[in-house]
Amino acid sequence: MSLTQSIVRNSVFFFALIPLFAVWGFWVTYFTRPGETLAPYDHIHGVAMFGWCLLLIAQAFLIRTSRRDIHRQLGKLAYVLGPLIIVSTIAL
């Protein structure tokens, strides 16, 4: 197996690091301020981006385990998450 094939095959493990780094990166500015008032778009954006990260991990895992039918069905969530991410990012 070549290096490229190995990286692609194990991409699910690399993608799983994204939410961990996101929580670490936003810990002080978002997660430790639950009592402070934040704009609703902050929360919508955070949930949408976290959902996108989970979708990315799930999609990679489903391809890795040859469950392409579930991969395609789950991929339809991107039609909801994509516009939500765009609108909430502009609103920020």
Side-chain angles (χ1 to χ4, degrees):
M1 183 180 313
S2 72
L3 178 61
T4 303
Q5 288 173 330
S6 177
I7 290 172
V8 170
R9 178 143 176 81
N10 295 312
S11 63
V12 66
F13 303 114
F14 299 119
F15 293 152
L17 294 174
I18 294 172
L20 296 175
F21 281 114
V23 168
W24 176 67
F26 288 101
W27 186 258
V28 174
T29 59
Y30 183 78
F31 291 106
T32 59
R33 302 180 345 177
E36 292 184 31
T37 50
L38 294 171
Y41 290 110
D42 291 334
H43 297 299
I44 293 169
H45 180 75
V47 169
M49 290 303 293
F50 197 73
W52 179 82
C53 288
L54 293 179
L55 182 63
L56 180 67
I57 294 165
Q59 293 281 72
F61 177 75
L62 290 169
I63 288 296
R64 178 183 169 89
T65 57
S66 299
R67 298 181 192 160
R68 286 175 170 54
D69 53 336
I70 302 171
H71 168 85
R72 286 186 199 103
Q73 292 172 354
L74 195 60
K76 293 176 183 174
L77 284 175
Y79 290 120
V80 175
L81 285 174
L84 192 60
I85 289 168
I86 291 169
V87 170
S88 65
T89 301
I90 292 170
L92 288 176

